[in-house]
Amino acid sequence: MSELMSDREIDRSKMHVGSEVAIQIANMNKWYGSFHVLRDINLTVHEGERIVIAGPSGSGKSTLIRCINRLEEHQSGDIVVDGIELTNDLKNIDKIRSEVGMCFQHFNLFPHLTILENCTLAPIWVRKTPKKEAEEIAMHFLEKVKIPEQADKYPGQLSGGQQQRVAIARSLCMKPRIMLFDEPTSALDPEMIKEVLDTMIELAEEGMTMLCVTHEMGFARQVANRVIFMDQGQIVEQNEPEEFFNNPKSERTQLFLSQILGH
Amino acid sequence: MADQDNNSIAFVATEVIPESPPPARETGVVKWLRENLFSSVTNTILTVLALALIYLVLKSTMPWILNGLWTTSSLAECREILDGTTGACFSVLTERWNQLIYGFKYPVEEYWRPNLAFLLMLVAIAPVLFFDLPRKLLIVTALFPFVAFWLIWGGTILAPLIALIGFIVAGAFFQKFGRNNFALGFFGAIVIALAIWSIGGSMIPEGASENALLPAVPSRDLGGFMLNMMLGLTCVSLSVPLGIALALGRQSNMPLIKGICVVFIEFVRGVPLITLLFVASVMLSYFFPPDATVDLFLRVVIMITLFSAAYIAEVVRGGLAALPKGQYEAADSLGLDYPQAMRLIILPQALKISIPGIVNVAVGLFKDTTLVSVISMFDLVGMIRGPILASTEWNGVYWELFGFAAALFFVVCYGISQYSQWLERKLHKGH
């Protein structure tokens, strides 16, 4: 998988980890009914960190990042995002959601709106940006993900890779401080994975705080400053990518890595 | 070819095969006939049978229609002129035209008022049906209910004016406070509107309607197809928003709201419309204070609206359920609040899916307005069954009258269904 990335030199000049805490998760637990899906999660994410969360399916990695913007509710423990604690207070939730961008496995673009409208909707209605300004911002980010010429089309007319890049642009239009990626390349054909990963790398190069659930280990190796391995709802191991891949400590990590890198 | 002779599997295309036109075949009518009507023996037999059936139907109806009389003044005269030959007595339609359209009590010199209201209706619904029209026309739409009320019922202009003012003030209140606090804005607006209406209503002087610009016409004098149109339009335009609200309420996380909506929908769906209409005409007055006179038209509108709203709610619920969960999540993750997510993301898509179902309910509702004839309101069917067929001149003219009623309803309902198909095509966004 790493050969996908090899043609690109990564500019690390702006990629540095700040001292400010972006996300603080303490003793967090979550159950689906009686199923204990997240077990005693403790995680501190600093400004500018690029974290890849890996693990077998059903290990709770998607659920974890979905808890960060309250798409899933946690039952115990604390989550503090950007200084705001996640509680049942709808105002806080909306505030956090407008600061945290999210990209989904299935893109979830709004099919009844054009690409441009998809990108301007939230800035206009949530940030109360004037329409003209919102459109300028949207075009700026569409250029950044290299599809400004598709602005007037509908999502259904675009390829999967293009849709995912639009989804990234749509999140960026809200000028988020943190980006969450929930398996952004899992629903894509191999030749489209690269264009989406390139977009994500560019984002990392600009110093965005990112949490990515992904199976792209090449991306993890090159971009991440920390890799987290989860299994059975638990954080099993976390380390710098070099150490994580070359010298995994836990048995479960070793097994997982041998399965996904072994062929 | 040489490669293949050698049994080799290696193959490289050496040139791009140029585009060529499809094989020439006979085109036009002959091809269409052969492909669609006479493609096989069974198909040919069915075609011949169908043609024979059409011929038989036309053979027996055409003389009746073509031979029809349009100018006689009674059935007896009509039969005398026909003298035993086949022929329709369409003269009942021409002679009783006004009764069929306006009912038998609406003052003849005031017919221009419903006519004008009808024309205004066309202008008012145009921007709702066709999004390409200038949005400014929506002002006409917003004012239309009040103007139409004043035109059709007449009387003092103060009544519709106060109603309008109530809506405007409530709307302004909601605009100001609803953005920050939806519940405060919503319920505050309702309270303010009710206050304005009750205070304003008590300020209308006694007998204000007596020398009004437009003479007052009481509800019981309305009738004919006009009554069907009024009931149909009012009930459809009220029950669609109510149905959407019920569907959203049924999905709500709040148990009380959800419970109320579920009980309401299930109750109303389990009761025949005709019993609701009887309740409206007879029993509802038991629940009001003895001196309160709630207009029969209003009572019927309430009942039909509640009835069709329950059905529309279920149709919309189907549309909401058909949307992928990701749409809700994407709207949430962008920070849209509930009203915004519903209005901008969820409902536009859910309603698009629901169009065929909503139109189905609307067409059914429009036809069901003829049921008011059983609670002695003289709509089109009520006029035919009552005053016209009971008159000495036209006793016994069934086919012409009911055929006319069927034709009128067919034109409107077919129009609605064609519009909905056009709308579905227009909203299709290639996904």
Side-chain angles (χ1 to χ4, degrees):
Chain A
M1 296 208 178
S2 51
E3 72 272 10
L4 277 170
M5 325 293 308
S6 55
D7 59 337
R8 191 145 174 347
E9 203 53 50
I10 292 183
D11 170 17
R12 295 186 178 270
S13 59
K14 287 190 202 158
M15 290 166 70
H16 52 79
V17 176
S19 57
E20 242 174 90
V21 174
I23 303 170
Q24 172 96 52
I25 301 176
N27 306 326
M28 192 260 277
N29 281 282
K30 174 173 176 58
W31 290 263
Y32 283 132
S34 60
F35 176 56
H36 199 170
V37 58
L38 289 178
R39 304 179 191 185
D40 196 32
I41 303 288
N42 286 288
L43 177 65
T44 305
V45 181
H46 289 96
E47 200 92 0
E49 276 205 273
R50 301 150 317 271
I51 296 179
V52 162
I53 305 173
S57 63
S59 60
K61 42 193 201 307
S62 287
T63 311
L64 171 61
I65 68 164
R66 288 159 62 87
C67 280
I68 293 172
N69 66 352
R70 196 60 161 202
L71 289 181
E72 304 282 352
E73 199 176 327
H74 61 282
Q75 274 95 30
S76 76
D78 304 316
I79 302 179
V80 179
V81 181
D82 220 20
I84 307 167
E85 178 164 8
L86 261 181
T87 56
N88 279 323
D89 186 344
L90 286 175
K91 282 247 156 61
N92 277 356
I93 294 175
D94 281 340
K95 180 102 182 53
I96 287 174
R97 282 173 177 168
S98 63
E99 300 296 334
V100 178
M102 178 142 189
C103 289
F104 299 89
Q105 181 177 2
H106 296 289
F107 334 132
N108 296 347
L109 294 177
F110 305 129
H112 62 301
L113 301 176
T114 64
I115 300 307
L116 188 64
E117 286 165 341
N118 263 282
C119 294
T120 55
L121 185 103
I124 290 175
W125 289 91
V126 180
R127 291 251 190 272
K128 317 284 180 206
T129 315
K131 186 163 181 249
K132 216 169 149 70
E133 200 186 320
E135 281 175 357
E136 278 163 20
I137 298 172
M139 286 314 290
H140 168 75
F141 284 112
L142 285 176
E143 263 158 42
K144 215 170 136 113
V145 301
K146 303 190 182 69
I147 31 178
E149 70 282 0
Q150 315 280 8
D152 293 324
K153 289 193 183 168
Y154 286 93
Q157 297 164 301
L158 268 56
S159 75
Q162 289 173 324
Q163 290 195 42
Q164 191 61 290
R165 283 184 284 152
V166 172
I168 294 174
R170 177 177 72 176
S171 298
L172 293 179
C173 285
M174 286 293 281
K175 305 263 175 72
R177 310 195 38 191
I178 302 162
M179 282 289 291
L180 308 174
F181 292 87
D182 188 2
E183 306 206 20
T185 55
S186 299
L188 295 176
D189 291 339
E191 73 261 38
M192 295 175 182
I193 292 178
K194 187 179 172 316
E195 60 188 52
V196 171
L197 288 180
D198 279 344
T199 309
M200 289 167 65
I201 291 171
E202 267 176 49
L203 209 54
E205 284 172 340
E206 282 164 21
M208 176 69 78
T209 312
M210 296 165 72
L211 264 81
C212 313
V213 172
T214 182
H215 297 295
E216 299 298 330
M217 290 305 133
F219 175 79
R221 214 185 266 270
Q222 283 185 287
V223 178
N225 67 309
R226 178 153 47 133
V227 180
I228 292 177
F229 176 71
M230 287 183 72
D231 194 18
Q232 296 180 341
Q234 213 175 329
I235 294 183
V236 174
E237 183 167 349
Q238 51 175 318
N239 214 331
E240 290 177 355
E242 276 308 300
E243 271 297 292
F244 180 84
F245 287 110
N246 299 338
N247 193 9
K249 303 278 184 305
S250 107
E251 231 169 83
R252 279 188 277 177
T253 316
Q254 288 162 7
L255 180 67
F256 175 74
L257 286 178
S258 73
Q259 276 168 344
I260 91 165
L261 299 176
H263 51 86
Chain B
M1 290 304 272
D3 282 340
Q4 281 171 18
D5 288 341
N6 292 341
N7 285 334
S8 162
I9 55 166
F11 168 75
V12 175
T14 48
E15 55 187 308
V16 175
I17 299 168
E19 237 179 74
S20 56
R25 271 197 243 144
E26 66 275 62
T27 49
V29 183
V30 181
K31 179 186 169 216
W32 186 87
L33 281 178
R34 211 189 54 197
E35 283 186 356
N36 291 287
L37 298 181
F38 303 103
S39 58
S40 68
V41 178
T42 331
N43 200 344
T44 309
I45 294 173
L46 287 175
T47 304
V48 172
L49 281 178
L51 285 176
L53 188 69
I54 293 172
Y55 171 74
L56 282 177
V57 170
L58 287 181
K59 189 185 160 216
S60 42
T61 55
M62 284 322 278
W64 184 76
I65 293 172
L66 294 176
N67 214 10
L69 297 174
W70 293 87
T71 51
T72 56
S73 61
S74 73
L75 183 61
E77 193 189 337
C78 178
R79 292 226 168 106
E80 204 170 289
I81 294 177
L82 284 172
D83 197 21
T85 55
T86 317
C89 286
F90 292 123
S91 30
V92 65
L93 304 180
T94 50
E95 211 241 353
R96 295 294 174 104
W97 175 259
N98 285 344
Q99 290 193 353
L100 289 168
I101 302 300
Y102 305 101
F104 66 122
K105 277 194 197 148
Y106 204 91
V108 181
E109 63 278 8
E110 308 292 347
Y111 280 167
W112 65 272
R113 281 156 49 180
N115 289 347
L116 181 60
F118 178 75
L119 289 178
L120 283 176
M121 177 198 82
L122 297 181
V123 181
I125 62 173
V128 180
L129 299 186
F130 304 102
F131 316 124
D132 298 339
L133 292 173
R135 298 285 83 191
K136 286 209 176 100
L137 268 178
L138 282 173
I139 297 173
V140 180
T141 312
L143 293 178
F144 172 72
F146 309 98
V147 176
F149 173 83
W150 185 53
L151 279 173
I152 290 173
W153 275 273
T156 171
I157 197 170
L158 287 175
L161 217 53
I162 289 168
L164 178 61
I165 291 171
F167 274 110
I168 291 176
V169 175
F173 181 85
F174 180 75
Q175 277 288 323
K176 190 151 168 53
F177 296 99
R179 280 180 190 278
N180 295 324
N181 188 337
F182 184 79
L184 170 76
F186 184 73
F187 293 108
I190 291 180
V191 170
I192 286 182
L194 289 178
I196 290 179
W197 290 333
S198 57
I199 295 170
S202 64
M203 272 164 45
I204 297 178
E206 198 81 20
S209 294
E210 270 159 29
N211 287 314
L213 186 58
L214 299 179
V217 180
S219 289
R220 61 175 180 278
D221 289 359
L222 303 174
F225 194 60
M226 175 181 81
L227 184 59
N228 294 112
M229 291 283 283
M230 286 163 59
L231 284 172
L233 188 69
T234 319
C235 296
V236 169
S237 41
L238 291 177
S239 61
V240 170
L242 186 60
I244 293 170
L246 282 170
L248 292 179
R250 197 174 181 159
Q251 283 209 325
S252 168
N253 293 327
M254 290 175 249
L256 187 65
I257 291 182
K258 183 179 173 140
I260 291 173
C261 292
V262 170
V263 168
F264 175 85
I265 292 170
E266 296 302 333
F267 174 75
V268 170
R269 282 204 310 164
V271 176
L273 177 58
I274 198 92
T275 52
L276 289 180
L277 289 177
F278 275 121
V279 168
S281 80
V282 186
M283 286 170 59
L284 220 52
S285 42
Y286 291 129
F287 297 102
F288 292 120
D291 54 338
T293 50
V294 177
D295 194 89
L296 178 61
F297 180 84
L298 181 61
R299 282 183 273 164
V300 168
V301 162
I302 291 173
M303 283 306 180
I304 300 182
T305 302
L306 295 183
F307 184 78
S308 49
Y311 280 87
I312 288 178
E314 286 301 279
V315 172
V316 173
R317 185 167 72 109
L320 289 171
L323 276 195
K325 205 164 149 252
Q327 291 292 310
Y328 292 86
E329 291 179 350
D332 283 346
S333 73
L334 286 171
L336 296 172
D337 59 22
Y338 178 82
Q340 288 171 340
M342 286 298 137
R343 201 181 114 207
L344 301 167
I345 309 298
I346 305 302
L347 282 179
Q349 298 183 63
L351 290 182
K352 195 190 111 192
I353 302 172
S354 317
I355 290 173
I358 292 178
V359 168
N360 201 16
V361 174
V363 166
L365 181 157
F366 182 59
K367 291 186 295 180
D368 281 352
T369 57
T370 55
L371 282 177
V372 300
S373 64
V374 302
I375 53 166
S376 48
M377 286 175 89
F378 291 100
D379 75 312
L380 180 59
V381 172
M383 283 305 296
I384 293 173
R385 289 193 336 149
I388 297 180
L389 278 178
S391 67
T392 47
E393 294 95 345
W394 299 111
N395 191 343
V397 194
Y398 290 101
W399 282 95
E400 293 83 345
L401 285 168
F402 285 111
F404 172 70
L408 264 187
F409 277 97
F410 176 78
V411 167
V412 176
C413 295
Y414 185 71
I416 298 175
S417 103
Q418 286 300 303
Y419 167 75
S420 85
Q421 289 184 19
W422 173 84
L423 186 63
E424 273 176 67
R425 279 197 302 276
K426 187 167 166 67
L427 291 179
H428 188 74
K429 293 282 160 52
H431 54 83

